[in-house]
Structures are given as C-alpha cells and as structure tokens.
Amino acid sequence: MSKLFIVVGLFGFGSMLLWNTDYKYHWWADYSSSVGQQKQVELEDGTQLQLNTQSAVDVRYTAQQRSLYLHYGEIQVHTAQEQNAHYRPFFVETESANLQALGTVFNVQYLKNNENNTCLGVIESAVKVSLNRSKQTKTVHAGEQICFDEQHFNTVQKLDPNVLAWKNQMVMAFEMPLEQLLKEVARYQYQYVDIDPDLKSLKVSGSYPVNDFSTLKTALELSYPVKVEGYFSDHLLRIQTNREKTKK
C-alpha cells in the first residue's frame, strides 16, 4: 500500500510541475503543434494562420477586435480583410508586447529559452508594436524585422530569409556559426547535440533541412571539416573535427 501512495504522490507532483509550466498549453491552447510539426489553420474571418514547431496559440475574437495570444513558439499570419461595415482591428499578443497588424502578412517568434524575446518579421504592409512594460511603440514595415522584450526594442534589421524558409522545413545559413545552426535544427527534433568546442564558431552557409538527418550530415561533411555521428536513432548527435580533412 505504501508503494501505491508513493506512485500516486509522484504522479501528482509531476502533474503539478507540468501544470505550472508552459507545457500545459500543448493540450489547452486553441491550436498547438508538437516537436517537428507544422499546422495550417484558417480562422473564422478567413485569416490564414500557420504554426511552426513547438507552438501554442489561443484565438480571442470579440465584436470589437480579433486577437491571437502566442504562448510560445512561432506563427505566420496572413490577416483577412473583413467585408462587413464594422472593422475589427487584428492583434497578436505575447508576454512582451501587443502587435497590431496594419493589413499585413507577418511572422512572430516567441521562444522562452531566448531571453523571453519576441521577434517580429514583416513580409507585407506594416505592424505596430506596443511594449507591455515601458509602453514604447514602433511601427515595423515590410522587409524589416525586430526583436524586443517588454521594456526595450533592439535595432531594426533586414528581414531574415528564414522567416520564409521555415514553411518549407528548411534553415538558410549565411556565415552562421555551426552551433547556432544546430540549435535551430534542434527545435524540430528530440535531440541532444554534443559538439566539439572548436567547431561551435565555425561559419557555415547553405540551405539545410530540419527533418532529414542524413541530408544534413552529408551536406556538412562534404563542405566542412566535420564528422557527424548519430546515436540512439539520431536522438544524440556527436559532431567532431574531421582530422583527415583538415590535413588536406
């Protein structure tokens, strides 16, 4: 009987921990995606919503406004133009800020392991951003992207091609550190990566699949002095320097 109480207690404690984390939104959010999964959704007003890997979003439509709340992950939104006389503004919210679409197509990324920064990329038209704590505002236009927390804006930059590439399950690298590339790919896989410290800052370029380990392995080994090995059905990756290639 005591063993039963222990099992029940552990189950209850584990359930409590899960409930107090964002993982609960995988079940309770209106729309969510698992690791490596992408989803396309058409909302009631015709807005097109696409979820990238590990994302959770709630839809809050009222008579006054249309709103999405991104708990975590990445979404791309193509807002619909309402045909009725009463126009409802369209918003996306995160813990950092409130984003108002100004008739647009845009991408929002909110990764909890990235210092709780929200990153916005605008593909068409513009988006107005209002920070939750500092109340600063900024309008971001097509071809631009910006990251921010609840108090500060980072510098506006040129739109990253990966804002578009992820819909094709690809990562585009332009002189990207190898460690950063592997972190991006790891968002789509249940993987642990053990990388040689000397290789972390190795600059790589090219288009890489996020769901095809064999192709990724071949591309890296052909172009760079690295050796990629997969263990336990590729859930563990070990990346070392290819000494033979460095001698050539």
Side-chain angles (χ1 to χ4, degrees):
M1 182 64 71
S2 60
K3 290 183 179 180
L4 177 61
F5 282 129
I6 292 173
V7 171
V8 172
L10 289 174
F11 179 79
F13 180 69
S15 299
M16 181 180 67
L17 287 177
L18 285 175
W19 182 254
N20 288 321
T21 67
D22 290 319
Y23 194 64
K24 62 179 178 289
Y25 295 119
H26 178 72
W27 289 283
W28 292 107
D30 290 328
Y31 299 102
S32 65
S33 59
S34 303
V35 174
Q37 183 184 32
Q38 295 179 343
K39 286 186 178 181
Q40 178 78 41
V41 180
E42 181 173 329
L43 303 181
E44 62 182 61
D45 63 336
T47 290
Q48 299 295 319
L49 169 66
Q50 186 157 3
L51 286 73
N52 199 1
T53 178
Q54 300 187 71
S55 301
V57 60
D58 278 326
V59 179
R60 302 170 177 174
Y61 278 27
T62 68
Q64 290 73 41
Q65 68 178 43
R66 300 167 291 168
S67 179
L68 305 179
Y69 191 95
L70 179 61
H71 295 286
Y72 59 83
E74 184 170 22
I75 58 174
Q76 196 163 119
V77 184
H78 188 163
T79 56
Q81 296 294 329
E82 292 194 298
Q83 301 301 319
N84 54 39
H86 178 62
Y87 171 75
R88 296 178 297 170
F90 192 101
F91 298 92
V92 172
E93 302 174 66
T94 71
E95 287 188 9
S96 306
N98 186 298
L99 290 67
Q100 182 177 1
L102 304 177
T104 185
V105 181
F106 61 104
N107 195 87
V108 184
Q109 185 187 83
Y110 180 53
L111 305 181
K112 291 299 187 76
N113 60 352
N114 192 29
E115 300 179 351
N116 286 2
N117 275 358
T118 299
C119 291
L120 164 69
V122 182
I123 301 166
E124 294 181 12
S125 300
V127 175
K128 181 180 178 181
V129 183
S130 302
L131 303 185
N132 287 340
R133 179 169 293 186
S134 68
K135 306 305 179 184
Q136 296 182 57
T137 64
K138 187 180 293 288
T139 299
V140 184
H141 300 275
E144 297 178 339
Q145 70 176 37
I146 191 171
C147 294
F148 45 87
D149 58 22
E150 59 186 4
Q151 296 192 78
H152 305 102
F153 286 107
N154 292 343
T155 304
V156 175
Q157 298 180 339
K158 185 178 179 181
L159 186 67
D160 187 338
N162 283 302
V163 166
L164 301 173
W166 70 256
K167 297 178 69 175
N168 297 317
Q169 298 187 324
M170 300 291 291
V171 175
M172 299 181 66
F174 301 93
E175 292 294 302
M176 180 184 290
L178 179 59
E179 183 180 35
Q180 182 181 342
L181 171 66
L182 296 173
K183 284 182 177 179
E184 186 63 24
V185 172
R187 291 174 55 205
Y188 299 82
Q189 308 285 341
Y190 287 107
Q191 286 179 331
Y192 173 80
V193 179
D194 177 26
I195 181 172
D196 185 335
D198 293 335
L199 293 174
K200 290 183 177 181
S201 59
L202 175 68
K203 297 295 191 298
V204 298
S205 298
S207 298
Y208 300 96
V210 298
N211 58 355
D212 187 340
F213 170 73
S214 178
T215 300
L216 174 65
K217 175 180 184 297
T218 300
L220 289 175
E221 290 183 337
L222 284 175
S223 302
Y224 303 99
V226 302
K227 183 178 181 181
V228 183
E229 298 176 309
Y231 302 91
F232 307 110
S233 300
D234 297 332
H235 292 303
L236 170 62
L237 299 186
R238 188 179 186 188
I239 302 178
Q240 298 176 296
T241 300
N242 186 334
R243 303 297 178 186
E244 295 182 1
K245 200 164 186 177
T246 56
K247 293 178 182 178
K248 296 180 181 180

